[in-house]
Amino acid sequence: VDTTGVVEYYDGSNWLTICPTEWDDIDAAVMCRSLGYDGGTSTTYVKNFEGPMINTQPSITFVECLGTETVFSACVSVRESVCGQTTLAGVSCTESSLRAGSVRLFDDANFYSIVEVLYAGRWGTVCGSIGWSLLDGRVACRELGFDSDNA
């Protein structure tokens, strides 16, 4: 799986490139987490595809993430019509050690909480009213390293 590349953001109607001027590791980590990775670092890419050397795509010229955002759209950004750069912002994302079906407790609770399962790169809650049983609870407890006898 390729985890490195140029960053583009879809705003609902257009794919926008990001100017690298203020692009940093915090912004890149949020972008990577939005894509289901553990985190990442910022990189830049020289525009090397056909056409003018100056970027003429609609662009985001400034991004400011705090690092606590779970989705990139929660970061502050300024959109201008054209970046005018020959380089573009990129990321090198860190592969998650977690795989689909991984289990965690909501809010990192110690012993009891809502069970969440990783599916398609996102954490979702398990609906207890549809088929969740004591046996399911025991399996989840074992996966989390707890004694399953007290599930």
Side-chain angles (χ1 to χ4, degrees), residues 4 25 31 63 94 128 140 142:
T4 302
D25 287 344
M31 175 59 80
V63 174
T94 307
R142 280 195 306 273

Side-chain angles (χ1 to χ4, degrees), residues 103-120:
V103 176
R104 74 177 183 186
L105 295 178
F106 177 75
D107 238 359
D108 292 325
N110 290 328
F111 301 108
Y112 62 91
S113 185
I114 297 169
V115 176
E116 293 184 317
V117 176
L118 185 64
Y119 179 76

Side-chain angles (χ1 to χ4, degrees), residues 36-87:
Y37 296 100
D38 279 349
T41 56
S42 63
T43 61
T44 57
Y45 288 88
V46 175
K47 185 178 175 214
N48 62 358
F49 44 90
E50 290 190 28
M53 280 305 292
I54 300 297
N55 180 23
T56 57
Q57 287 182 261
S59 301
I60 296 174
T61 56
F62 175 80
V63 174
E64 182 66 37
C65 298
L66 300 174
T68 57
E69 300 88 349
T70 57
V71 292
F72 185 74
S73 60
C75 297
V76 174
S77 63
V78 176
R79 179 181 174 188
E80 289 189 11
S81 58
V82 176
C83 186
Q85 300 281 332
T86 59
T87 57

